[in-house]
Amino acid sequence: MAVDRKQVEDIIAAIGGKDNIDTASHCVTRLRFALHDEDLVDKDALDQNDLVKGQFSTGGQYQIVIGPGVVNTVYDELITITGASRASKDDVKRAASKKQNPLQRAIKTLSDIFIPLLPAIVTAGLLLGINNILTGPGIFFTGKSLVEVYPQWTDFASIINTIASTAFTFLPALIGWSAVTRFGGNPLLGVVLGLILVHPDLLNANNYAKAVTEGTVPVWNLFGWEVNKIGYQGQVLPVLVSAYVLAKIEKFLNQKIPDAFKLLLVAPITLLVTGFLAFTVIGPVTFAIGNAITTGLIYVFNLAPALGGLIYGGLYAPLVITGMHHTFLAIDVQLIGAQGGTFLWPMLALSNIAQGAGALAMLLVLKDQKVKGLAVTSSVSAFLGVTEPAIFGVNIRYKYPFVFGMISSAIAGVLVSINGVMASSVGVGGIPGFLSIFPENWGVFFIGMAIVLVVPFTLTVLYGRFMNKRQQNAADDSDNNSTIPAAGTTAKSPTGGAASQSAASAAQPATSDLTVLEVTAPVQGKVVPLESVPDPAFAERQMGQGIAVEPSEGKIYAPFSGKVIHIMMNSKHALIMEHASGVQILIHVGVDTVSLKGEGFTLRVEQGHEVEQGQLLMEFDRDLIRKAGYAVITPVIVMDGQDMVQSVEELPGEASDLNYTAMKIHLNG
């Protein structure tokens, strides 16, 4: 597909010129840049470029959404104009990471380690919340728990507690697996390392303080050198540092030992050396550092709980934007291990709700139906503990709902901090977060929840409507007979955002009969809104309208009869189908799966093939994709380059077979 060279030149100029480009690559939908200085980017100029569908910065990369089919041509033209060398997505990642400071790299490393553990941690948190309800005194009966009044429930609660606490009891094993994987070692050795650090022969770390007081800490006597024989339950730093050392030792031995002897020597030597270092040096030092961190935090919050709550409660949402919030997951876990609960998690849960309330309020402020739909779905996501769609999709775009959310969560943070509200587990955010809170703190927490629901919602609605009225009055004063801009130009919406004239005209009735194209789910699984996709280009609908599917199997089928017009041959993770009506559908398996370079993907059709609805197009290995650290959620995007689509009706639900209609595309007659 041909593109206007001038528009590509304008993109290069808008990102600071060719001298500002360190490395450039592309995937199926967007250009990816590692820039020398992102402050030089002219975002307004990019917004006005007809080739650009969206833009954002993440992980040190500046990404410009172009769209499938066109992005290849734009990239080729960009390389020709700049004279730059072609690069892969991994090259851009490496270049982007180099310009990050040590703190940013450390935060990214922690994020890479802890994000894969979230399913286990969230599950454990939910189950511990159920156990709290069953065993917490005073919830249903004065001074007594449910199991005390109904003893027959005691063993049921005990089983739940055993299942729930396992993830936290053996957390070092989970961290060891994820950390060693991140550092490039054998993940199985990481699991064994974590289990070594919580071996039942060791003194449980939770009993260490009592043993010190009583003088009963067991020791190993290594030729006169006494080493404390203690475990590291609930500790994060010992296993993180030990995992790093293990990976380095393993890599070194793999390079030095001949292949014939690797199986016999590498793993035993690696575990033996790392184990001795963990118990003699790494463990004691990091144990002291970890305890110092938790003691310092506890001291600060005990000394000035209101100030601590104000700062952490108010600034948690900005931490989400920077990615630094993942750092505090490790601190939460450390606090639970050291004192049996964390005072930080309740403020996180309230911040989630505050941003959700701000996003939901925009439903009553905005005029654009597309963004109103985004406001509803992203607020639900935030109420359930995932705030990125609400923050990036709505609140940051309009600013004031984000600020009002911060203000309310700061107020609620002060309330829960001065009242000592604690969570017994982590992983459950948003409204379900009350399950993590100790039952005796529920009253105060629910008051905080009311604050973060009412305050940002009310302030956002009042301020948004005030701004709408003010802008409308200004527009009426300047020109009571203003004309509608020509198709393809951009006009300002009443809320200050941009709205295309084509979107405005879509609200007008069609002049001819309306036809409907029914699109079935291309893969079996759960059909969900695009806001569920952990990628701004899809979640913010920069690529277009559509749905996403959480696959229950690894097969992609044709959602209608048509032609396969484009396949990403190098990565095999995405393809485009075209219906006889001209409507095109992008099927994109997973997020960032282009990095797998085709591993785990098997194509069953070729580009240019005519296919029937339900015909197998592709197979993919879900387990391989997940083990590589990528989400398998599959966006299905409606591409409308010819303005033939009037509206898209999204139909979330359970696609248990290939006949489930996931979308209805209403076409202009």
Side-chain angles (χ1 to χ4, degrees):
M1 182 181 294
V3 298
D4 187 340
R5 182 185 178 94
K6 176 65 168 59
Q7 290 180 320
V8 180
E9 291 174 343
D10 290 343
I11 290 176
I12 297 170
I15 60 174
K18 67 179 183 179
D19 293 335
N20 195 36
I21 301 174
D22 182 340
T23 312
S25 181
H26 77 93
C27 61
V28 70
T29 58
R30 69 200 80 170
L31 299 172
R32 297 170 179 262
F33 297 97
L35 302 176
H36 295 297
D37 185 0
E38 288 190 3
D39 291 337
L40 298 179
V41 176
D42 186 342
K43 296 181 180 180
D44 290 336
L46 286 174
D47 283 337
Q48 294 169 11
N49 194 306
D50 290 338
L51 287 175
V52 177
K53 291 184 171 65
Q55 57 180 303
F56 57 94
S57 177
T58 178
Q61 296 182 46
Y62 204 87
Q63 302 188 23
I64 300 176
V65 181
I66 302 295
V70 184
V71 68
N72 309 54
T73 310
V74 173
Y75 179 73
D76 291 342
E77 193 69 40
L78 181 142
I79 293 298
T80 301
I81 295 171
T82 62
S85 300
R86 292 179 177 272
S88 68
K89 182 184 171 186
D90 290 335
D91 293 331
V92 175
K93 274 188 174 181
R94 283 191 288 271
S97 64
K98 287 178 182 177
K99 71 175 187 175
Q100 292 180 319
N101 60 45
L103 177 61
Q104 290 173 317
R105 288 198 293 270
I107 290 170
K108 185 180 185 304
T109 299
L110 281 175
S111 173
D112 292 343
I113 291 170
F114 278 96
I115 285 178
L117 304 182
L118 284 179
I121 293 175
V122 169
T123 300
L126 281 170
L127 293 177
L128 283 174
I130 295 173
N131 180 70
N132 287 343
I133 293 174
L134 294 173
T135 60
I139 299 177
F140 302 104
F141 307 97
T142 304
K144 290 186 177 182
S145 66
L146 185 67
V147 296
E148 288 176 317
V149 176
Y150 298 103
Q152 60 268 33
W153 286 88
T154 301
D155 289 340
F156 179 77
S158 177
I159 292 175
I160 290 178
N161 184 60
T162 299
I163 297 171
S165 61
T166 297
F168 291 107
T169 300
F170 297 102
L171 187 64
L174 299 179
I175 296 175
W177 161 75
S178 187
V180 171
T181 302
R182 170 62 178 79
F183 297 134
N186 185 333
L188 181 59
L189 294 183
V191 174
V192 176
L193 172 66
L195 292 174
I196 288 172
L197 296 179
V198 293
H199 194 285
D201 284 351
L202 305 172
L203 172 69
N204 192 298
N206 299 323
N207 300 324
Y208 177 70
K210 180 181 178 182
V212 170
T213 303
E214 297 175 350
T216 57
V217 178
V219 297
W220 282 299
N221 192 316
L222 302 178
F223 309 103
W225 179 20
E226 291 190 345
V227 177
N228 286 341
K229 188 179 177 182
I230 63 171
Y232 294 97
Q233 290 85 357
Q235 298 290 313
V236 174
L237 287 178
V239 67
L240 281 178
V241 177
S242 297
Y244 177 81
V245 171
L246 182 145
K248 292 299 180 184
I249 293 174
E250 185 192 4
K251 287 180 180 178
F252 174 79
L253 293 177
N254 274 322
Q255 292 173 352
K256 301 298 182 182
I257 295 176
D259 291 344
F261 299 99
K262 282 183 179 179
L263 183 62
L264 182 65
L265 298 176
V266 172
I269 294 174
T270 299
L271 275 176
L272 188 63
V273 173
T274 306
F276 264 90
L277 289 173
F279 286 120
T280 58
V281 180
I282 298 171
V285 172
T286 54
F287 185 74
I289 293 172
N291 285 337
I293 292 172
T294 56
T295 301
L297 274 171
I298 293 169
Y299 175 78
V300 169
F301 272 81
N302 285 339
L303 181 67
L307 181 61
L310 182 73
I311 294 174
Y312 189 74
L315 296 183
Y316 183 79
L319 289 176
V320 172
I321 296 175
T322 64
M324 289 182 65
H325 63 303
H326 295 300
T327 306
F328 286 90
L329 178 59
I331 296 175
D332 277 310
V333 172
Q334 182 78 20
L335 283 168
I336 292 171
Q339 63 171 15
T342 171
F343 46 79
L344 296 178
W345 194 263
M347 289 179 276
L348 173 151
L350 294 174
S351 178
N352 294 159
I353 300 170
Q355 292 300 321
L360 182 62
M362 295 303 288
L363 175 67
L364 304 180
V365 175
L366 299 167
K367 302 293 192 294
D368 190 311
Q369 292 298 319
K370 173 182 172 181
V371 187
K372 288 175 71 132
L374 178 59
V376 174
T377 54
S378 64
S379 65
V380 172
S381 173
F383 289 150
L384 295 177
V386 181
T387 55
E388 281 82 354
I391 289 177
F392 292 108
V394 180
N395 294 357
I396 284 295
R397 184 186 303 184
Y398 298 100
K399 297 183 178 62
Y400 59 90
F402 182 73
V403 173
F404 291 145
M406 287 175 57
I407 292 171
S408 64
S409 59
I411 296 171
V414 172
L415 174 70
V416 297
S417 293
I418 62 177
N419 284 281
V421 175
M422 301 273 282
S424 61
S425 61
V426 298
V428 186
I431 292 175
F434 80 91
L435 292 172
S436 295
I437 308 300
F438 285 110
E440 59 266 28
N441 298 143
W442 278 4
V444 176
F445 185 77
F446 286 142
I447 295 173
M449 190 183 292
I451 291 172
V452 294
L453 281 169
V454 175
V455 173
F457 186 89
T458 303
L459 292 179
T460 299
V461 170
L462 293 177
Y463 183 80
R465 288 181 172 176
F466 167 76
M467 291 300 295
N468 281 351
K469 186 175 181 180
R470 181 177 176 182
Q471 291 173 3
Q472 186 62 50
N473 290 340
D476 291 342
D477 291 341
S478 62
D479 187 1
N480 289 325
N481 298 306
S482 58
T483 58
I484 298 176
T489 63
T490 299
K492 287 295 180 181
S493 70
T495 54
S500 67
Q501 176 59 22
S502 61
S505 63
Q508 302 300 319
T511 57
S512 60
D513 292 338
L514 186 69
T515 59
V516 178
L517 171 61
E518 293 191 357
V519 179
T520 58
V523 56
Q524 293 185 34
K526 185 177 182 181
V527 180
V528 296
L530 277 179
E531 289 76 24
S532 303
V533 181
D535 185 319
F538 293 114
E540 297 178 15
R541 301 173 187 265
Q542 294 176 4
M543 292 301 306
Q545 299 281 46
I547 47 89
V549 185
E550 290 279 8
S552 59
E553 65 168 9
K555 295 181 179 180
I556 298 293
Y557 300 92
F560 49 68
S561 297
K563 185 177 182 179
V564 179
I565 63 169
H566 182 75
I567 296 176
M568 285 291 290
M569 295 306 301
N570 292 332
S571 58
K572 305 176 185 177
H573 74 295
L575 55 84
I576 300 173
M577 278 195 62
E578 185 175 77
H579 187 261
S581 64
V583 172
Q584 297 175 354
I585 298 287
L586 165 68
I587 304 172
H588 190 288
V589 179
V591 175
D592 285 340
T593 44
V594 64
S595 297
L596 293 173
K597 300 177 181 178
E599 184 181 3
F601 293 90
T602 304
L603 293 172
R604 298 304 183 191
V605 292
E606 295 180 6
Q607 190 166 302
H609 274 188
E610 296 281 352
V611 297
E612 297 296 322
Q613 181 176 346
Q615 182 174 333
L616 182 63
L617 304 178
M618 173 201 307
E619 294 182 82
F620 59 95
D621 189 329
R622 291 188 301 154
D623 292 336
L624 184 149
I625 294 171
R626 286 176 177 142
K627 287 178 181 177
Y630 302 108
V632 295
I633 189 170
T634 299
V636 183
I637 306 298
V638 180
M639 302 172 61
D640 184 25
Q642 303 175 28
D643 290 331
M644 64 184 65
V645 176
Q646 186 185 74
S647 64
V648 177
E649 184 180 350
E650 303 166 13
L651 303 170
E654 196 67 38
S656 57
D657 56 49
L658 299 180
N659 296 319
Y660 183 86
T661 301
M663 288 186 291
K664 291 183 179 180
I665 303 175
H666 298 264
L667 306 176
N668 289 314

